[in-house]
Amino acid sequence: MKAPYAASPEFSKGRKFSEPAPTYRSEFQRDRDRIIHSTGFRRLEYKTQVFVNHEGDLYRTRLTHSLEVAQIARSIARTLDLDEDLTEAISLAHDIGHTPFGHAGQDALNACMKEYGGFEHNLQSLRIIDELEKNYADFNGLNLCYETREGVLKHCSLKNAANLGDVGERFLKKEQPSLEAQLTNIADQIAYNNHDIDDGIRSGLINIEQMRQMQLFSTQYDKVMWKYPELKGNRRVHETIRRMIGEQVVDLVETSRAKIAEVSPESIEDVRKHFEQLISFSDEMRAHNQELKKYLRENLYFHHKVYRMTRKAHQVIEALFDIFMHDLRLLPPGHLKLARNALVDEGLSGQARVIADYVAGMTDRYATKEYARLFGVDGNVF
């Protein structure tokens, strides 16, 4: 039994294009399945999380990250009597608009698009599921339910929200998303903080002694060493991290339960109209997470080896965007046609958006190969 304030596929706000109800599946299950079968989702296998894809087979990619988010989020949804299928759909789609080379690629593409409306992967995820996927006979995009689209669009400026129709209205009205969307956003934070620690230690760029300066890590590490004093290597790290995830999930569930009980929402509309989100960490756990994020930013994401990759990623993305903008004939035929049509209809901004769509859709290795082909360098860019 789901809580009365959970999202319900039977009372969904619907899809942009009306369709017959699915057989043997709920509407949210259909959304999840469409995401899994989409081109954008498959490409996540070869898109960077922190480390460029070819640097090692064991590091997380955008795909494995999305799967980890879905696992954590579904567990929380089940515990809180929320809709697991919607939660899973949002989790799997939340990074579908990411560029190659992780946040470095997004920053570079945003700089390229500064004069043409900017670029933000969250908006690009919505653009992909609403417009760019072209697998269905009756519509562009995946034609997902409002609730899934709402969850994918985690944040948005008021300027952009005004142009997004129904899914942008909650930002204009200052309303909250569903609890399923709220918990997926935090499950994303839990996943990337903890698996970035794992990948960072595995890579040798950070180490256990450094991480023991972080209270959340240190507390769980000491528990592991007390119980398993002979445990070595990756097993010791993994045991610590899985306990960290467990500790954060328990805190999130208990804090959220207390907030929900205090507010006593009777429907999803009560959730939407509440002045703050009801899914949250305790103040103490929020502080622990901020400490982890700050440490990882300063010691892993800005580590000189990662930063070198970041600079090369900027170079690749900027060069690709610029050369396509200056000579559309270098684009593949399908994108060439789209860019020419957009130039006629919308001017340079339309052309630039088509090129941004093309570049953002690339995997790490495809972007590297395109760069090598167009600029006459060998394939070993990174």
Side-chain angles (χ1 to χ4, degrees):
M1 292 293 292
K2 289 191 299 187
Y5 43 77
S8 171
E10 292 82 6
F11 300 102
S12 168
K13 292 187 177 184
R15 305 176 186 274
K16 281 189 170 183
F17 303 97
S18 180
E19 297 184 65
T23 305
Y24 305 128
R25 295 180 295 176
S26 76
E27 296 287 0
F28 296 155
Q29 287 173 327
R30 175 191 264 175
D31 281 5
R32 174 204 60 204
D33 298 345
R34 285 184 175 178
I35 291 160
I36 289 173
H37 288 278
S38 69
T39 303
F41 183 73
R42 291 196 300 276
R43 286 174 178 161
L44 296 179
E45 181 178 3
Y46 298 107
K47 291 195 177 188
T48 295
Q49 183 67 25
V50 173
F51 298 93
V52 174
N53 181 260
H54 68 259
E55 291 189 354
D57 292 337
L58 297 179
Y59 297 127
R60 269 72 170 188
T61 65
R62 286 287 163 190
L63 180 62
T64 57
H65 164 68
S66 297
L67 294 174
E68 290 183 20
V69 173
Q71 180 272 314
I72 293 169
R74 281 200 68 155
S75 298
I76 298 167
R78 179 176 299 180
T79 304
L80 294 176
D81 298 324
L82 302 177
D83 192 287
E84 292 182 53
D85 298 317
L86 174 60
T87 301
E88 184 176 25
I90 296 170
S91 299
L92 295 175
H94 83 282
D95 266 355
I96 205 168
H98 244 297
T99 61
F101 314 125
H103 286 285
Q106 173 182 275
D107 292 344
L109 199 49
N110 185 44
C112 293
M113 289 289 293
K114 185 176 180 180
E115 297 178 22
Y116 311 111
F119 179 90
E120 205 279 317
H121 86 268
N122 200 227
L123 287 170
Q124 189 69 7
S125 293
L126 186 67
R127 182 168 166 80
I128 287 171
I129 61 178
D130 276 359
E131 299 179 41
L132 299 184
E133 285 285 335
K134 291 182 171 59
N135 294 325
Y136 296 91
D138 293 327
F139 47 77
N140 289 337
L142 303 180
N143 197 32
L144 303 183
C145 292
Y146 169 86
E147 291 78 10
T148 305
R149 298 168 59 237
E150 169 194 57
V152 169
L153 190 64
K154 295 187 293 187
H155 45 77
C156 182
S157 69
L158 295 181
K159 179 181 178 181
N160 286 325
N163 298 318
L164 293 176
D166 58 350
V167 80
E169 286 182 6
R170 76 172 181 86
F171 298 97
L172 302 175
K173 294 178 179 178
K174 302 191 184 304
E175 292 183 349
Q176 307 300 334
S178 68
L179 294 182
E180 289 82 359
Q182 294 180 34
L183 76 86
T184 302
N185 191 24
I186 300 182
D188 181 27
Q189 298 173 37
I190 294 173
Y192 69 66
N193 270 347
N194 288 280
H195 63 49
D196 287 357
I197 293 170
D198 188 19
D199 284 353
I201 292 175
R202 188 185 297 274
S203 71
L205 301 187
I206 56 177
N207 59 53
I208 289 175
E209 290 308 309
Q210 290 174 313
M211 287 305 308
R212 291 189 70 184
Q213 300 172 38
M214 306 297 106
Q215 185 175 341
L216 185 59
F217 182 93
S218 181
T219 299
Q220 300 307 317
Y221 180 84
D222 290 344
K223 289 179 180 179
V224 170
M225 295 312 297
W226 178 83
K227 189 172 184 179
Y228 307 103
E230 303 302 319
L231 203 60
K232 303 292 183 183
N234 289 336
R235 294 179 70 180
R236 180 170 55 181
V237 174
H238 183 270
E239 187 66 26
T240 301
I241 289 174
R242 81 176 188 89
R243 288 165 180 259
M244 290 172 64
I245 293 173
E247 193 78 6
Q248 291 171 83
V249 168
V250 168
D251 179 272
L252 183 67
V253 167
E254 293 181 352
T255 304
S256 301
R257 271 181 173 163
K259 282 194 165 191
I260 291 169
E262 182 181 354
V263 174
S264 297
E266 296 182 359
S267 69
I268 190 171
E269 292 308 314
D270 290 343
V271 170
R272 296 187 190 285
K273 294 184 183 304
H274 193 60
F275 69 92
E276 65 176 356
Q277 298 199 357
L278 297 177
I279 305 293
S280 71
F281 287 125
S282 65
D283 291 342
E284 181 181 10
M285 186 59 72
R286 190 179 298 109
H288 289 328
N289 270 276
Q290 288 300 320
E291 183 183 40
L292 283 177
K293 288 174 71 172
K294 181 179 179 182
Y295 176 84
L296 289 170
R297 183 173 62 252
E298 294 175 354
N299 295 277
L300 180 59
Y301 309 145
F302 286 159
H303 189 285
H304 77 278
K305 290 184 178 179
V306 175
Y307 188 69
R308 286 179 181 179
M309 182 277 290
T310 298
R311 290 305 308 153
K312 291 178 182 178
H314 273 266
Q315 176 182 329
V316 169
I317 296 296
E318 290 168 358
L320 289 175
F321 182 87
D322 287 344
I323 198 169
F324 292 137
M325 280 293 287
H326 285 96
D327 191 346
L328 293 179
R329 291 171 297 177
L330 294 171
L331 288 166
H335 287 87
L336 171 60
K337 182 178 179 180
L338 289 172
R340 283 175 169 169
N341 289 341
L343 179 61
V344 172
D345 295 340
E346 305 170 54
L348 279 178
S349 293
Q351 172 185 303
R353 185 60 61 187
V354 170
I355 291 170
D357 288 340
Y358 177 53
V359 174
M362 294 178 181
T363 61
D364 291 8
R365 61 185 181 180
Y366 184 80
T368 303
K369 287 179 180 179
E370 275 285 78
Y371 181 81
R373 285 191 288 259
L374 290 167
F375 294 96
V377 297
D378 66 43
N380 190 27
V381 176
F382 287 87

